[in-house]
Amino acid sequence: MKKIAVLCNYRLLPERVGGMDHFFWLFDAQCKTAGYQIDWFFPTISRHQGYANLDLFSSQEGNVEMYFLNHFAQNNYTHVFTHFIEISTSFFKRFKSTYDAKVIAVDHNPRPVGGYSLKKRIEKRLKGWLYSGAIDQFIGVSEYSRQQLIKELGNQIQSRTHVIFNGLPTAQLVKRTDTHFRGSFIVACHLRKDKGIQDLIEAIRIVVHRLPQVPFSIEIYGEGYYGDSLKQMVLDYQLENYITFKGSVSHLYALYAQYDYLIHPSHGETFCYSVVEALLCRLPVITTKNQGNVLGLVEEPINGFLYDVGNVDQLATLLQNLIANQKVLDNSVTYNTKVDALTLAQMVHHYFQLTQ
């Protein structure tokens, strides 16, 4: 019988249920239907929704990898998957040197704004040289992610590195049908500096100066360490009538259809759930050319608009033209349907194939 272990440095939170949670539940069900044993290792345990059906183990906020090595590695697992865990570390070599399991490491991890420091790049290349041989398959969630893994760890992993796109639960998504422009924009992301919301606030300051009497609204969903700084910027620029912080919610899938555009001013992504969710809801997206549009799903002028990362003036002009109705999407062009392939069913299928 195949025995699978899944190690995730991912906190289980009832108030935050997203695409990865649904994937975990469906992948577990697929494996059990095939007669596999599958155990899940997280820093915390919660039994909300689909997690009630999983065989869960918790490191009690400790290191998930070390917890697994100390207590479970000898359980004759045939496959070990890692999610949200640093790739190519001594953990992989320690495990592989003793146990004969296929190891699949999945890269979800964002890169820092401006890239890694020279010291960090050297460390990663060294770890690639020392430990990458212990990993049978490297999985990137986008082509950008795959290329970054090879760049960071070395060309020796290239033949073992593949892309599996993340999928989203599509059944619950509410699709936008009213295309009448109302001047309503949504932002949905963690409030971190690398998400570039500070650029958006600077751009809105310019737009308000140029169009002082034109009403519009931007509602920001999410929480994070940079939130207080962003809120202070809004106060300092007296933009409270235009920008509202809505906090974190679990039903974004039902909200996208209420807006005209998603704005995602990101400085760097590996996948970007909010962009994909918005496009699946038929909500057009304004994002950065390469960093926010990491999957290449936003095509001007079909389903959104792009601008150069960090270019506040360019973003301000784009928003000004949209609000003043001087820039519109080309509704005569067929909608970009590539996004419709990013389903949970496809994601589960591709990961399950790795167990064959």
Side-chain angles (χ1 to χ4, degrees), residues 40-186:
W40 296 82
F41 299 85
F42 293 94
T44 58
I45 280 184
S46 176
R47 293 293 179 182
H48 65 280
Q49 298 189 40
Y51 287 112
N53 301 318
L54 272 60
D55 295 312
L56 297 174
F57 300 90
S58 171
S59 63
Q60 302 295 320
E61 302 285 5
N63 184 285
V64 174
E65 303 98 291
M66 292 304 102
Y67 173 70
F68 175 77
L69 281 178
N70 291 335
H71 300 284
F72 295 91
Q74 71 278 12
N75 284 8
N76 296 319
Y77 290 108
T78 58
H79 297 78
V80 175
F81 289 83
T82 67
H83 294 271
F84 303 102
I85 284 174
E86 184 180 356
I87 292 178
S88 196
T89 64
S90 61
F91 156 74
F92 294 94
K93 186 173 183 178
R94 287 181 59 185
F95 174 78
K96 196 72 169 181
S97 64
T98 306
Y99 303 103
D100 184 23
K102 184 177 181 180
V103 176
I104 301 107
V106 185
D107 175 40
H108 303 272
N109 304 316
R111 271 67 185 179
V113 177
Y116 291 110
S117 66
L118 177 60
K119 179 181 178 181
K120 190 69 173 179
R121 293 200 302 271
I122 293 173
E123 288 177 355
K124 282 188 170 291
R125 182 56 62 92
L126 181 61
K127 288 179 179 179
W129 179 67
L130 291 173
Y131 308 127
S132 66
I135 299 173
D136 297 281
Q137 290 277 349
F138 296 84
I139 303 297
V141 297
S142 65
E143 180 59 26
Y144 168 80
S145 176
R146 187 185 79 87
Q147 293 291 346
Q148 288 299 304
L149 279 171
I150 297 169
K151 179 180 177 181
E152 292 161 7
L153 301 179
N155 288 331
Q156 77 279 0
I157 74 167
Q158 186 163 357
S159 63
R160 292 175 282 143
T161 307
H162 305 281
V163 175
I164 297 179
F165 293 121
N166 286 342
L168 283 83
T170 56
Q172 62 186 357
L173 296 175
V174 178
K175 292 189 178 181
R176 174 174 170 266
T177 57
D178 182 4
T179 59
H180 176 71
F181 184 78
R182 296 153 292 184
S184 180
F185 301 87
I186 181 175

Side-chain angles (χ1 to χ4, degrees), residues 182-356:
R182 296 153 292 184
S184 180
F185 301 87
I186 181 175
V187 178
C189 63
H190 294 295
L191 304 187
R192 304 196 310 254
K193 191 171 185 179
D194 60 308
K195 296 299 182 180
I197 301 175
Q198 65 276 10
D199 300 342
L200 174 60
I201 295 173
E202 294 283 0
I204 295 305
R205 184 187 187 190
I206 297 171
V207 173
V208 170
H209 176 74
R210 294 174 180 172
L211 303 173
Q213 304 301 321
V214 180
F216 64 92
S217 66
I218 295 176
E219 296 187 340
I220 299 174
Y221 291 86
E223 296 176 349
Y225 73 87
Y226 204 49
D228 289 342
S229 297
L230 296 171
K231 292 172 185 177
Q232 190 60 52
M233 284 183 68
V234 170
L235 291 174
D236 291 344
Y237 294 163
Q238 298 180 336
L239 297 175
E240 303 97 310
N241 292 335
Y242 300 92
I243 301 175
T244 307
F245 291 87
K246 307 290 284 186
S248 181
V249 299
S250 60
H251 63 296
L252 276 171
Y253 57 85
L255 300 179
Y256 290 112
Q258 302 173 15
Y259 297 88
D260 298 310
Y261 285 88
L262 170 81
I263 305 176
H264 192 68
S266 179
H267 290 195
E269 300 287 343
T270 54
F271 182 79
C272 193
Y273 273 102
S274 60
V275 168
V276 177
E277 279 186 330
L279 293 176
L280 283 168
C281 291
R282 299 301 187 256
L283 179 68
V285 171
I286 300 165
T287 189
T288 47
K289 287 183 178 177
N290 298 311
Q291 294 79 1
N293 194 27
V294 65
L295 301 182
L297 297 173
V298 179
E299 297 182 345
E300 297 182 294
I302 299 172
N303 59 356
F305 298 103
L306 304 170
Y307 70 96
D308 295 321
V309 64
N311 192 326
V312 170
D313 289 334
Q314 196 176 37
L315 175 58
T317 298
L318 172 57
L319 292 173
Q320 175 190 343
N321 289 338
L322 285 172
I323 293 166
N325 202 30
Q326 296 176 20
K327 194 175 186 72
V328 296
L329 293 173
D330 184 355
N331 292 323
S332 67
V333 181
T334 303
Y335 196 87
N336 181 351
T337 58
K338 291 187 294 184
V339 67
D340 293 324
L342 299 177
T343 65
L344 275 176
Q346 285 293 316
M347 183 182 180
V348 171
H349 170 75
H350 290 307
Y351 277 101
F352 184 75
Q353 288 298 110
L354 296 177
T355 69
Q356 302 306 294

